[in-house]
Amino acid sequence: MIEIDPVAIMPYINTCLIERECDEILQISEYRSKAAGITKLIECLCRSDKENWPKSLQLALDNAGYYNASELWNIREDNGKYVDGEMTDASETQFETLMTFSEEAECDNLSENLSSASESIYESSSVYEPKKARSYQIELAQPAIDGKNTLICAPTGSGKTFVALMICEHHLQNVPSGQKAKVVFLATKVPVYEQQKNVFRQHFERRGYSVQGICGETVANMSVENVIQDSDIIVLTPQILVNSMEKGILSSLTIFTLMIFDECHNTTGNHPYNVLMARYLDQKFDSSANQLPQIVGLTASVGVGNAKSTNETVEHICTLCSYLDIKAISTVRENKEDLQRFGNKPETHIRWVKMQARNRFADIISGLMSETEVLMRKTYSVANISQINKNNFGTQGYEHWIVSTQRKCRLLQLEDKEKESNICRDIFICTEHLRKFNDALIISEDARIEDALAYLNEFFTNVKNGPYTELEKQLTEKFQEKEQELTALSKDESNENPKLEELTCILDEAYRYNPETRTILFAKTRALVAALKKWMDANPVLSHIKTDVLMGKGRRDHKTGMTLPMQKGVLDAFRNDKDIRLLVATSVADEGIDISECNLVVLYEYFGNVTKMIQVRGRGRAKDSKCILVTSKTEVVENEKLNRYKEEMMNAAIEKLQNWDETTFARTIHQLQIKEKILRDSRKKETKHKVVEGKKNLLCGKCKAYVCSTDDIRIIKESHHTVLGDAFKERYITKPHRKPVQFDGFEKKSKMHCRNTECQHDWGITVKYKTFDNLPVIKIKSFVLENVETGTQMDFQKWKSINLSLKNFDEETSI
Ligand SMILES: [Zn+2]
């Protein structure tokens, strides 16, 4: 990534950044270096709350012609299939290239939606009562009822779902004779999907309409085609539709007469909403197309993008409208008073906390990190492979440096192969230690020293159970020398994190003043949520508050993640059990889910763009509710101020647009759509593949030991990779699997590790499959690919990007 010119990709990626960040990146690139600029850019992206940023970045790199770098971002499949590492137990992979701990922001994009649990678990526990429309809700629904493609923008808690029900009902009742109405309601998150499906069922089934839903794994058990054919209303997560269209099951969106996009501000970039709308618009411009469905988008905030002024905000909103083919923007204008009676809009109060300048814990860990760096430089002059690290310990930037160093070391090539093996392994070990220390520093920033220390202790226990090489022994000893002091520090109350002290004050005050207080406490990562819950339970001032946690499933960290039934259980309990007064949650709770009224929203180092903040604040629906942001970062305080300003700008821009006459608006939208279509068509022509030719070998990614020839690799069920021949079995050892589960016709038997006793790199798992008892299933991330003729090495994150022509596993003749 260091070679990339941030100025070149900026026009394609700026929607994922805030304006101040864009300026800063450009300045750094100009006055320092491009490398520093791109580092900053990635740092900003990692903090971005645009869940789709990795894909947007990839697209930006493609657009700017950086195809090799774009390859690096081929991280994950979106088609819902279990690929590569998934089955080989990603959860237990110790050596992820991405940050596994503190910066893994809760991710709620599609692939999570797709791997959801079965139906019926989210059945609403409350009894449905038909409601009467409020005046402002009728106002919001009007343009859509008049048949226009409408963007509805109204605050969280104003009952947008009810508005959608009204529109839907009117639509179903007013179909011209001879036609059949078919409505699709799209929700981006599984819990929201479950909730909306139930609302639509309760409302429409008694009226004789059939309502069905498909999401995630339920898609495997039913025919999407039949469900769409047989139902009047279909509730879906959007990827299902995208997949059905890609597979040709669904040829056109014209089968629907009304499409409702919940949280429609997501319609941008590669989000499935935008993929669907691109199909829609292609059909719109193809004059032979049949009648297209009416579009209704719902959102609490359209955002402002990178706009600096009201005029630029107008442009941003027009772009969103062009993607959704919108004719009218509907907000509450006539019935503002009525809205204010129902919708509560608490202000965000910021509590800025000053952190201690000197921190003994951080000093010790930083000392250990410096020593590890010195050891690493003795092994090999790292400067040769990776730019000298200028980042501070305990930062995102440092993590990026580790990622890039590890990657370059994997591909390090020397004349002396034995030397290459030893050096690669040792650098790998050092960087893993550095990564864990870095994580521990980040943890201690927001949670207790105790939590950071527990994290390190777990790591060192695992190290001892591995190959435990001389180098690892040496590093472990260095840590053990400090262990006593670290433990003492974790027990010393004077070292309490000042942010936690502030949190104690806030909560203590709230519950003292009103013991009936109901709080939702947001934190960025699952690990932090878990740490906060532990801290609350152990805190004598707060332990009387009955607390529960709510978080997402997690792809990597399965130990702390929650399955959908668990999430539902928590939500039900929080709704029904009046004793539970506080919910500690990740972003899983910030959009759409129906959480009972809270009068205190606390954001613990939890911040984002204007859209996110409007939604989060909307969580405090009860009367006199308060929203408090606890942070030690001055830039967050600035950002929050900026968000307030942006919100005003957004409201002004919407009003301006609503005052445009219809023809001007329609013309603007049309022009934007034409421009986008030209871009889209040219992008389609550019799809390219890198074909790897000649004989290839796989080498162990940690010690470079020979693994197999790619000729011996076979594919099972389109996504799993095995290796033929008894010779291969000699090259790995197995260890018992901690969670021997069954999956997709496979039964996990054991984990496979590199035979090299000094290495023992995780290669994958062995499974029982049909009549094969110990079939190896390897994951590409563990290896590097060597071109036998040239000796060049490459590494890949997924099988698909290698583009080898691999044979299928033939059960009759193999092994
Ligand atoms: Zn190895």
Side-chain angles (χ1 to χ4, degrees):
M1 294 297 292
I2 297 293
E3 275 108 42
I4 287 153
D5 181 358
V7 182
I9 64 165
M10 186 60 86
Y12 306 106
I13 191 75
N14 55 14
T15 50
C16 290
L17 300 163
I18 59 173
E19 169 202 329
R20 187 177 47 79
E21 290 172 332
C22 294
D23 292 345
E24 205 177 326
I25 292 159
L26 294 176
Q27 266 177 10
I28 291 175
S29 317
E30 194 178 343
Y31 297 111
R32 280 170 58 199
S33 67
K34 283 177 182 168
I38 196 78
T39 307
K40 180 76 199 173
L41 187 141
I42 291 170
E43 213 179 305
C44 294
L45 285 175
C46 287
R47 277 198 307 249
S48 157
D49 57 344
K50 290 269 165 80
E51 281 96 353
N52 258 343
W53 73 259
K55 287 197 110 185
S56 306
L57 178 59
Q58 191 175 18
L59 199 69
L61 292 167
D62 274 336
N63 284 333
Y66 291 110
Y67 303 118
N68 288 337
S70 153
E71 181 93 28
L72 295 176
W73 290 95
N74 272 332
I75 297 168
R76 233 185 18 238
E77 298 288 333
D78 270 341
N79 59 8
K81 271 210 188 109
Y82 285 79
V83 287
D84 299 355
E86 279 290 309
M87 187 180 139
T88 53
D89 222 346
S91 59
E92 286 174 32
T93 313
Q94 286 181 22
F95 310 118
E96 290 280 350
T97 41
L98 293 165
M99 188 83 156
T100 50
F101 196 87
S102 45
E103 294 302 320
E104 191 199 339
E106 188 82 344
C107 174
D108 14 61
N109 64 21
L110 318 155
S111 40
E112 283 205 355
N113 281 355
L114 282 168
S115 46
S116 74
S118 60
E119 285 229 319
S120 77
I121 51 158
Y122 258 92
E123 250 153 51
S124 175
S125 43
S126 55
V127 181
Y128 178 75
E129 295 160 42
K131 287 179 227 159
K132 202 173 168 297
R134 300 168 192 155
S135 63
Y136 72 83
Q137 289 173 324
I138 297 170
E139 183 187 349
L140 283 171
Q142 201 53 54
I145 283 176
D146 295 340
K148 289 179 192 156
N149 286 358
T150 307
L151 176 76
I152 297 172
C153 184
T156 311
S158 57
K160 283 191 291 296
T161 306
F162 188 73
V163 175
L165 289 176
M166 283 162 60
I167 294 167
C168 191
E169 189 165 335
H170 180 270
H171 181 85
L172 291 168
Q173 286 166 355
N174 291 278
V175 205
S177 58
Q179 280 183 33
K180 190 167 164 22
K182 201 177 280 296
V183 181
V184 62
F185 184 96
L186 298 155
T188 55
K189 291 187 181 180
V190 175
V192 180
Y193 150 82
E194 296 284 355
Q195 199 176 284
Q196 306 295 48
K197 185 184 70 186
N198 292 321
V199 170
F200 274 79
R201 278 208 166 135
Q202 283 166 334
H203 188 87
F204 285 106
E205 279 184 345
R206 69 183 72 199
R207 289 167 174 78
Y209 295 106
S210 67
V211 182
Q212 288 206 67
I214 321 170
C215 85
E217 280 173 4
T218 65
V219 74
N221 312 325
M222 49 174 87
S223 149
V224 178
E225 198 181 6
N226 289 347
V227 169
I228 294 176
Q229 256 335 314
D230 298 345
S231 326
D232 301 306
I233 299 162
I234 308 109
V235 183
L236 289 170
T237 45
Q239 190 67 31
I240 306 273
L241 272 192
V242 172
N243 290 354
S244 302
M245 295 194 85
E246 272 167 9
K247 285 187 202 141
I249 297 169
L250 189 69
S251 60
S252 157
L253 295 170
T254 52
I255 186 163
F256 303 113
T257 52
L258 172 64
M259 295 180 81
I260 303 173
F261 292 78
D262 195 22
E263 309 289 353
C264 70
H265 53 267
N266 288 304
T267 316
T268 172
N270 287 318
H271 191 279
Y273 273 1
N274 214 18
V275 176
L276 289 176
M277 282 313 296
R279 290 263 186 165
Y280 172 103
L281 291 167
D282 279 343
Q283 275 185 289
K284 183 184 164 184
F285 287 110
D286 172 9
S287 51
S288 66
N290 298 320
Q291 182 79 43
L292 283 161
Q294 184 187 354
I295 304 289
V296 172
L298 308 171
T299 183
S301 162
V302 291
V304 301
N306 297 312
K308 294 183 184 68
S309 62
T310 309
N311 279 344
E312 284 173 21
T313 311
V314 166
E315 272 173 48
H316 166 81
I317 299 171
C318 282
T319 306
L320 178 68
C321 289
S322 76
Y323 292 156
L324 282 162
D325 200 31
I326 294 301
K327 296 274 176 296
I329 302 172
S330 178
T331 58
V332 177
R333 306 172 82 190
E334 307 282 326
N335 299 284
K336 277 195 174 146
E337 275 169 31
D338 186 31
L339 174 64
Q340 264 150 15
R341 273 201 297 138
F342 292 100
N344 179 55
K345 190 178 139 187
E347 284 288 306
T348 308
H349 303 272
I350 300 169
R351 299 273 186 100
W352 182 72
V353 182
K354 193 169 162 34
M355 297 295 277
Q356 292 144 329
R358 285 197 56 79
N359 173 341
R360 183 69 192 138
F361 178 82
D363 288 349
I364 295 173
I365 300 295
S366 302
L368 287 168
M369 289 174 87
S370 303
E371 283 183 69
T372 312
E373 280 193 351
V374 169
L375 264 177
M376 184 162 82
R377 296 216 164 87
K378 261 191 225 157
T379 311
Y380 188 77
S381 167
V382 183
N384 288 350
I385 40 170
S386 191
Q387 273 207 334
I388 296 168
N389 170 45
K390 292 189 195 99
N391 288 299
N392 295 326
F393 298 143
T395 61
Q396 272 278 317
Y398 195 80
E399 168 66 16
H400 292 310
W401 176 78
I402 291 172
V403 170
S404 81
T405 307
Q406 253 181 10
R407 195 173 175 96
K408 285 185 181 169
C409 290
R410 270 157 70 101
L411 302 177
L412 176 71
Q413 288 172 56
L414 301 171
E415 283 296 318
D416 182 342
K417 287 294 157 191
E418 199 187 319
K419 205 172 154 197
E420 179 183 315
S421 168
N422 290 334
I423 289 175
C424 286
R425 187 198 61 224
D426 285 351
I427 297 181
F428 189 93
I429 290 169
C430 288
T431 46
E432 267 318 291
H433 279 74
L434 287 170
R435 160 174 288 150
K436 297 295 166 177
F437 285 136
N438 194 52
D439 284 354
L441 285 177
I442 297 177
I443 295 165
S444 70
E445 269 282 306
D446 292 340
R448 293 169 301 177
I449 291 175
E450 200 180 315
D451 301 307
L453 195 57
Y455 179 74
L456 285 177
N457 280 328
E458 194 195 339
F459 169 68
F460 279 101
T461 309
N462 285 335
V463 169
K464 266 180 221 153
N465 294 332
Y468 209 38
T469 60
E470 272 310 311
L471 175 64
E472 284 170 325
K473 270 184 203 142
Q474 216 180 324
L475 289 165
T476 306
E477 271 162 29
K478 282 184 190 297
F479 175 69
Q480 278 166 345
E481 278 169 27
K482 306 285 180 195
E483 211 180 334
Q484 227 179 348
E485 192 183 350
L486 291 170
T487 312
L489 284 170
S490 76
K491 298 210 165 107
D492 180 354
E493 279 174 20
S494 68
N495 286 316
E496 196 178 6
N497 190 322
K499 280 188 282 198
L500 291 176
E501 281 175 38
E502 184 69 32
L503 194 54
T504 310
C505 290
I506 292 169
L507 294 175
D508 186 38
E509 192 190 303
Y511 284 86
R512 230 177 253 265
Y513 174 68
N514 174 13
E516 303 290 295
T517 296
R518 291 172 71 77
T519 308
I520 181 156
L521 169 59
F522 282 105
K524 218 180 232 169
T525 64
R526 284 186 288 277
L528 188 53
V529 163
L532 287 173
K533 162 84 168 115
K534 254 171 69 190
W535 165 77
M536 286 213 43
D537 290 344
N539 187 323
V541 184
L542 304 176
S543 55
H544 69 95
I545 307 168
K546 205 170 161 196
T547 305
D548 217 336
V549 296
L550 178 68
M551 57 178 107
K553 242 163 50 124
R555 281 161 291 126
R556 292 187 284 269
D557 188 5
H558 287 233
K559 271 180 283 176
T560 52
M562 282 169 81
T563 61
L564 281 168
M566 283 159 83
Q567 291 177 34
K568 157 156 172 62
V570 168
L571 280 170
D572 279 352
F574 192 58
R575 215 173 279 140
N576 304 325
D577 180 354
K578 295 293 170 214
D579 286 345
I580 301 174
R581 302 242 141 252
L582 193 147
L583 197 59
V584 193
T586 59
S587 67
V588 138
D590 73 10
E591 257 188 25
I593 306 178
D594 181 25
I595 294 174
S596 46
E597 294 191 339
C598 290
N599 52 352
L600 180 60
V601 178
V602 182
L603 311 172
Y604 189 76
E605 289 290 8
Y606 189 96
F607 37 86
N609 64 23
V610 59
T611 302
K612 186 168 193 155
M613 294 326 273
I614 290 174
Q615 279 165 338
V616 165
R617 207 177 45 201
R619 284 325 188 175
R621 287 185 196 170
K623 267 220 160 80
D624 303 323
S625 62
K626 246 198 212 171
C627 183
I628 302 173
L629 171 66
V630 179
T631 180
S632 62
K633 299 179 178 66
T634 38
E635 68 264 30
V636 172
V637 180
E638 288 300 310
N639 193 43
E640 190 52 30
K641 279 185 204 149
L642 198 65
N643 278 342
R644 271 181 220 171
Y645 167 66
K646 283 181 178 171
E647 192 179 344
E648 283 165 23
M649 212 160 72
M650 181 185 86
N651 292 333
I654 290 178
E655 209 175 313
K656 200 166 174 179
L657 275 172
Q658 285 171 329
N659 291 331
W660 283 14
D661 68 274
E662 265 182 49
T663 3
T664 316
F665 184 67
R667 199 172 48 227
T668 311
I669 297 302
H670 185 74
Q671 279 163 354
L672 286 168
Q673 287 175 340
I674 296 280
K675 223 167 85 186
E676 188 64 25
K677 171 136 180 73
I678 294 167
L679 264 176
R680 201 160 55 231
D681 289 346
S682 70
R683 237 177 271 145
K684 268 183 210 151
K685 284 184 207 133
E686 280 171 18
T687 343
K688 54 198 74 68
H689 273 290
K690 228 191 300 169
V691 184
V692 183
E693 280 167 11
K695 206 172 153 45
K696 304 281 178 307
N697 288 336
L698 287 190
L699 307 179
C700 173
K702 187 173 167 190
C703 76
K704 301 292 181 73
Y706 173 74
V707 177
C708 67
S709 159
T710 54
D711 295 340
D712 297 333
I713 300 174
R714 295 290 181 274
I715 304 177
I716 311 172
K717 289 191 169 182
E718 294 175 39
S719 52
H720 311 301
H721 294 73
T722 190
V723 182
L724 302 181
D726 287 333
F728 177 64
K729 295 206 158 91
E730 301 297 314
R731 296 186 199 114
Y732 63 86
I733 52 162
T734 57
K735 290 184 182 179
H737 200 285
R738 271 189 280 168
K739 281 185 280 176
V741 286
Q742 300 221 352
F743 179 79
D744 197 18
F746 298 90
E747 187 186 330
K748 291 182 185 174
K749 300 285 276 191
S750 42
K751 299 213 56 130
M752 347 171 11
H753 297 270
C754 176
R755 164 126 255 166
N756 180 349
T757 44
E758 297 278 278
C759 171
Q760 301 187 22
H761 193 34
D762 173 7
W763 282 6
I765 55 170
T766 68
V767 298
K768 184 173 157 49
Y769 173 66
K770 293 193 175 168
T771 55
F772 305 97
D773 238 346
N774 271 300
L775 200 62
V777 176
I778 56 171
K779 50 179 175 184
I780 190 65
K781 274 192 206 172
S782 305
F783 310 103
V784 294
L785 187 77
E786 183 195 44
N787 182 321
V788 180
E789 279 145 51
T790 62
T792 356
Q793 297 175 7
M794 292 168 87
D795 69 342
F796 295 92
Q797 289 296 312
K798 58 179 192 184
W799 289 98
K800 227 177 149 184
S801 34
I802 313 185
N803 209 16
L804 291 163
S805 51
L806 295 174
K807 295 192 190 82
N808 277 321
F809 184 63
D810 180 349
E811 282 125 43
E812 300 299 314
T813 54
S814 40
I815 307 192

